[in-house]
């Protein structure tokens, strides 16, 4: 192995992101640098993952994040400025999975233009970005954001459209109410035999509330969706969901309500319950608050009472019932706060990632142990991170990437 590569053997992803040679290669790749770093990757295959992670860190770099040490900001920005002066532009090689890189470059180039064309580019010392209030930004919490997909495939961005009637779907009028909630109300066309399906989906960093045509109320957490008929006809009411959704079902003994999440089905008459079916968590959790529900999976079923939860692991037909569930913790998201009650750091970061639309990287193994806390979902990301760090977890935030260290 080339002796000059010895220092990289114990580098973490953060160490690579702070290394001048690495920064130069990522920001200004050329033939010579490509040869050197391809050789590093070839001779240190165990560092390939850290190198790729470091590239992501640089591509998502945001000097506004207070967690980035001032010297780190100065070094990276000084490198960007000096290299840009040298060639006039910053050239970055992107990976297709890093779709936000293009917008990041615009921010970086805009930052360079500000400092260079206002005389700062003539300075030989590092540029102190932190002193400029234009860069003192934080990642705000999520809010009411959702996309409505109509029966014909057209879409409406619900968080930006004005209140009032949005569309006629079958014999139901789609109305955005004054409180921002969406409601389906019978009216207009009297073709009672026509049933159309709509879908509401929330992005990461979004949530939304819906009232179905039967009066049932629905709350969608971040990165979730519900597909439903605009009018309920026949002998039952059926909807399909992804992510996490809370229901308050209007009672109708003649028309049972069915919720499908992947291979699991929940059957109710009139009740309050929550279904957490995020695919990355590996199991579906159905928690009952009021009434009764039957949970069905692969021909097996179980009936639960209020305060109980059914766990259905993906790839398994087993349904296990958990009694004495902390319902307040389950419903914290709907009530406007996080409930980090005896959760692992990964369970916490699932929630943080979705609500703040950020990515999470674990440098080494995820810290063991369980953590507690009850912060508001109205806090900025930096404030949430401070709460989590009280438990001793080491966290660095760079741009829209959270790095959790072991």
């Amino acid at each position: 192995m080339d002796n000059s590569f010895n220092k990289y053997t114990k580098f973490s992803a953060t160490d690579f992101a702070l290394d001048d040679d690495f920064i130069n290669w990522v920001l200004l790749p050329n033939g010579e640098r490509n040869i050197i770093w391809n050789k590093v990757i070839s001779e240190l295959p165990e560092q390939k993952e850290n190198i790729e992670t470091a590239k992501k860190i640089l591509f998502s770099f945001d000097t506004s994040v207070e967690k980035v040490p001032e010297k780190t900001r100065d070094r990276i920005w000084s490198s960007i400025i000096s290299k840009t002066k040298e060639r006039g532009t910053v050239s970055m090689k992107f990976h297709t999975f890093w779709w936000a890189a293009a917008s990041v470059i615009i921010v970086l180039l805009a930052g360079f233009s500000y400092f260079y064309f206002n005389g700062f580019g003539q300075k030989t010392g590092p540029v102190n970005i932190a002193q400029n209030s234009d860069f003192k930004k934080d990642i705000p919490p999520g809010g009411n954001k959702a996309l409505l997909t109509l029966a014909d495939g057209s879409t409406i961005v619900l968080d930006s459209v004005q209140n009032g009637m949005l569309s006629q779907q079958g014999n139901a009028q789609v109305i955005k109410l004054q409180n921002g909630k969406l409601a389906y109300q019978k009216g207009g066309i009297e073709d009672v035999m026509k049933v159309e399906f709509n879908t509401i989906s929330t992005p990461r960093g979004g949530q939304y509330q819906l009232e179905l045509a039967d009066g049932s109320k629905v709350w969608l957490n971040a990165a979730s969706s519900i597909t439903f008929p605009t009018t309920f006809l026949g002998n039952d009411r059926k909807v399909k969901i992804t992510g996490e959704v809370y229901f308050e079902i209007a009672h109708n003994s003649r028309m049972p309500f069915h919720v499908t999440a992947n291979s699991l089905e929940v059957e109710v008459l009139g009740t309050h319950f929550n279904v957490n079916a995020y695919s990355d968590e590996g199991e579906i959790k159905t928690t009952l608050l009021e009434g009764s529900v039957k949970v069905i999976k692969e021909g097996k079923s179980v009936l639960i009472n209020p305060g109980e939860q059914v766990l259905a692991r993906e790839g398994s037909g087993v349904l296990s019932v958990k009694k004495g569930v902390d319902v307040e913790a389950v419903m914290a998201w709907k009530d406007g706060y996080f409930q980090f009650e005896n959760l692992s750091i990964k369970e916490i970061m699932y929630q943080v990632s979705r609500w703040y639309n950020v990515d999470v990287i674990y440098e080494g193994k995820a810290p063991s142990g369980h953590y507690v806390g009850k912060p508001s979902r109205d806090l900025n990301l930096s404030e949430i991170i401070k709460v989590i760090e009280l438990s001793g977890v080491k966290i660095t935030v760079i741009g829209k990437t959270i790095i959790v260290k072991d």
Side-chain angles (χ1 to χ4, degrees), residues 371-372 384-393:
Y371 308 89
V372 297
I384 293 293
I385 294 301
K386 290 176 183 177
V387 172
I388 298 173
E389 286 184 324
L390 292 175
S391 298
V393 181

Side-chain angles (χ1 to χ4, degrees), residues 189-231:
I189 301 173
E190 290 298 329
D191 184 3
V192 296
M193 297 304 293
K194 186 177 182 179
V195 178
E196 296 183 325
F197 287 84
N198 286 184
T199 298
I200 292 180
S201 54
T202 56
R204 293 203 307 174
Q207 62 181 16
Y208 215 78
Q209 187 177 351
L210 163 70
E211 184 174 311
L212 299 174
D214 66 342
S216 296
K217 297 178 181 179
V218 180
W219 285 257
L220 282 80
N221 202 349
S224 303
S225 71
I226 179 170
T227 299
F228 55 94
T230 58
T231 303

Side-chain angles (χ1 to χ4, degrees), residues 3-113:
N3 290 334
S4 63
F5 299 162
N6 286 339
K7 68 175 183 177
Y8 298 126
T9 58
K10 296 184 179 180
F11 263 34
S12 66
T14 305
D15 292 330
F16 278 113
L18 295 175
D19 183 78
D20 289 332
D21 292 333
F22 184 84
I23 292 171
N24 289 340
W25 173 54
V26 173
L27 298 185
L28 273 179
N30 59 29
E32 182 181 355
R33 289 172 184 151
N34 287 339
I35 291 173
I36 293 173
W37 281 95
N38 285 336
K39 191 174 181 181
V40 172
I41 295 171
S42 175
E43 295 195 14
L44 299 174
E46 70 277 8
Q47 287 290 42
K48 185 176 180 179
E49 183 177 350
N50 280 334
I51 288 173
E52 292 302 317
T53 299
K55 287 182 181 179
K56 290 184 181 182
I57 292 172
L58 289 179
F59 289 156
S60 65
F61 183 79
D62 181 349
T63 56
S64 66
V65 181
E66 295 180 358
K67 288 293 177 184
V68 181
E70 185 174 314
K71 290 183 179 180
T72 303
R73 293 194 297 263
D74 291 344
R75 284 179 57 188
I76 295 180
W77 272 92
S78 293
S79 177
I80 293 171
I81 291 173
S82 63
K83 301 309 171 188
T84 308
K85 286 173 62 181
E86 175 185 323
R87 290 253 305 258
T89 59
V90 175
S91 173
M92 290 188 181
K93 181 166 62 177
F94 303 111
H95 297 271
T96 55
F97 58 82
W98 199 246
W99 60 270
S103 61
V104 172
I105 286 183
I106 293 173
V107 174
L108 294 177
L109 290 177
F112 162 72
S113 299

